[in-house]
């Protein structure tokens, strides 16, 4: 019986290993002062098969600008405010500065989907995180061409 493959070496991105049932790059994305693992699903489940758009999405995740959290904060704050209004919760303070929203977020990983299978024509990845305001459903922030364009609870944003 063949042992399942646990690692793959990619000429561009280096080691990609199985961790918690996710293919995870040895390199991490950097968001502010936090290092975030990058997980990929290979195209058609074929180990090592990354489409050009997936490669571009990984490159974008690895080269996010140093101020990415400042740029993305208003989008995440919008999600926070919608949730705050919805539940009318006094325990959720109004945030004076959008950047404060990140104090309530714990990054899990960046997910790069199989672009061919999802019929994506733009390099896309999602930042998956836990958030204090909705611990049950968490938070996902979608990036297209390296720019965040949507933030919502996990599973609520399409590709």
């Amino acid at each position: 019986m063949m042992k399942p493959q646990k690692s793959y070496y990619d000429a561009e991105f280096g080691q990609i290993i199985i961790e918690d049932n996710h293919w995870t790059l040895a390199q991490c994305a950097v968001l502010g002062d936090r290092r975030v693992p990058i997980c990929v699903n290979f195209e058609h489940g074929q180990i090592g098969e990354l489409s050009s758009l997936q490669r571009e999405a990984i490159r974008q995740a690895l080269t996010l600008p140093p101020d990415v959290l400042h740029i993305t904060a208003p989008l995440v704050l919008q999600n926070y405010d919608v949730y705050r209004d919805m539940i009318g919760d006094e325990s959720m303070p109004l945030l004076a500065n959008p950047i404060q929203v990140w104090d309530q977020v714990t990054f899990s990983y960046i997910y790069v989907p199989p672009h061919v299978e999802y019929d994506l024509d733009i390099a896309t990845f999602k930042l998956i995180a836990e958030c204090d305001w909705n611990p049950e459903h968490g938070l996902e922030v979608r990036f297209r061409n390296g720019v965040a364009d949507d933030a919502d609870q996990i599973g609520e944003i399409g590709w």
Side-chain angles (χ1 to χ4, degrees):
M1 199 167 121
M2 269 181 63
K3 266 177 59 181
Q5 193 170 340
K6 298 262 191 236
S7 73
Y8 170 78
Y9 182 82
D10 183 84
E12 182 175 4
F13 301 119
Q15 210 61 37
I16 304 176
I17 55 172
I18 282 274
E19 249 178 39
D20 300 325
N21 292 327
H22 293 292
W23 284 100
T24 307
L25 276 73
Q27 298 184 64
C28 286
V30 177
L31 285 87
D33 59 356
R34 305 183 221 186
R35 293 172 58 77
V36 184
I38 300 173
C39 301
V40 297
N41 269 4
F42 292 116
E43 296 288 2
H44 308 294
Q46 298 297 312
I47 293 172
E49 195 173 312
L50 294 169
S51 68
S52 58
L53 281 171
Q54 275 182 301
R55 289 186 174 282
E56 185 56 32
I58 294 168
R59 281 184 217 112
Q60 290 168 0
L62 288 169
T63 58
L64 287 167
D67 59 350
V68 64
L69 294 181
H70 283 274
I71 296 168
T72 311
L75 196 63
V76 176
L77 181 63
Q78 191 178 359
N79 177 265
Y80 175 92
D81 287 341
V82 164
Y83 199 77
R84 185 177 181 277
D85 292 346
M86 196 169 68
I87 60 175
D89 191 343
E90 302 311 310
S91 70
M92 289 178 70
L94 270 173
L95 301 177
N97 185 336
I99 197 71
Q100 293 173 310
V101 78
W102 293 117
D103 297 339
Q104 301 183 43
V105 176
T106 305
F107 300 146
S108 299
Y109 57 92
I110 284 173
Y111 173 61
V112 180
H115 282 51
V116 172
E117 288 174 37
Y118 282 101
D119 214 16
L120 296 173
D121 55 5
I122 297 173
T124 305
F125 63 86
K126 289 182 181 178
L127 169 63
I128 308 296
E130 295 172 23
C131 62
D132 294 350
W133 64 91
N134 193 345
E136 188 180 335
H137 297 107
L139 174 75
E140 67 180 29
V141 182
R142 182 181 63 198
F143 287 76
R144 286 185 168 161
N145 282 335
V147 177
D149 72 345
D150 204 356
D152 208 336
Q153 273 41 72
I154 293 172
E156 294 300 312
I157 301 176
W159 287 105

